[in-house]
Amino acid sequence: MSTVTLFRPVGAAELALIAESDWRAFPPRLPDQPIFYPVMNANYAEQIARDWNSKHEPSGLGHVLAFDLPDDVTNRWPVQIAGGRVHEELWVPAEELGAFNQMIVGPIRLIATYRDGARVEEAQ
């Protein structure tokens, strides 16, 4: 099976929930979050973790996660452009997150951490 790597910028609370799942699933969305949107490239995920999460999260931390899915995932949830061409996201309706999680191949991986806008840690 061919896979594609997607990325997800998260704060400390979401990271803790993912760790509780043994790095196998993303937590359910909150009622005011109708879409789960992983991003298609590491640069965009790092931009969000660095410029938003690490500066607005109570912990002052932003993390970048990477994970693999079958490469035909974009047939089920088409890629959306949220700004410039580098800002590609996969929009997964919240009610389909369980099916999305079941498609994850292998563990979710922590690849970078930012504190107050600066990279502080490499992948484990």
Side-chain angles (χ1 to χ4, degrees), residues 22-40:
D22 199 26
W23 300 92
R24 298 285 175 189
F26 292 95
R29 307 304 292 152
L30 299 174
D32 63 336
Q33 298 172 322
I35 295 185
F36 173 74
Y37 55 95
V39 302
M40 304 302 292

Side-chain angles (χ1 to χ4, degrees), residues 69-103:
L69 292 167
D71 62 4
D72 63 353
V73 69
T74 57
N75 293 334
R76 184 165 180 175
W77 299 290
V79 174
Q80 306 293 322
I81 305 296
R85 183 72 180 140
V86 72
H87 301 125
E88 295 179 323
E89 304 172 346
L90 201 65
W91 288 6
V92 179
E95 62 271 13
E96 296 181 37
L97 185 54
F100 180 89
N101 282 334
Q102 290 180 350
M103 294 174 69

Side-chain angles (χ1 to χ4, degrees), residues 2 5-6 16-17 19-20 22-23 25 46-47 50 54 60 68 75 78-79 99 106 112 120:
S2 291
T5 301
L6 276 68
L17 294 171
E20 285 177 16
D22 199 26
W23 300 92
E46 288 186 12
Q47 177 185 12
R50 179 189 65 236
S54 77
D68 301 316
N75 293 334
V79 174
V120 296

Side-chain angles (χ1 to χ4, degrees), residues 5-6 8 12 18 41 51-52 62 64 66 73 79 83 105 112-113:
T5 301
L6 276 68
R8 174 83 178 154
I18 293 163
N41 65 75
D51 298 344
W52 177 257
V64 179
V73 69
V79 174
V105 177
T113 296

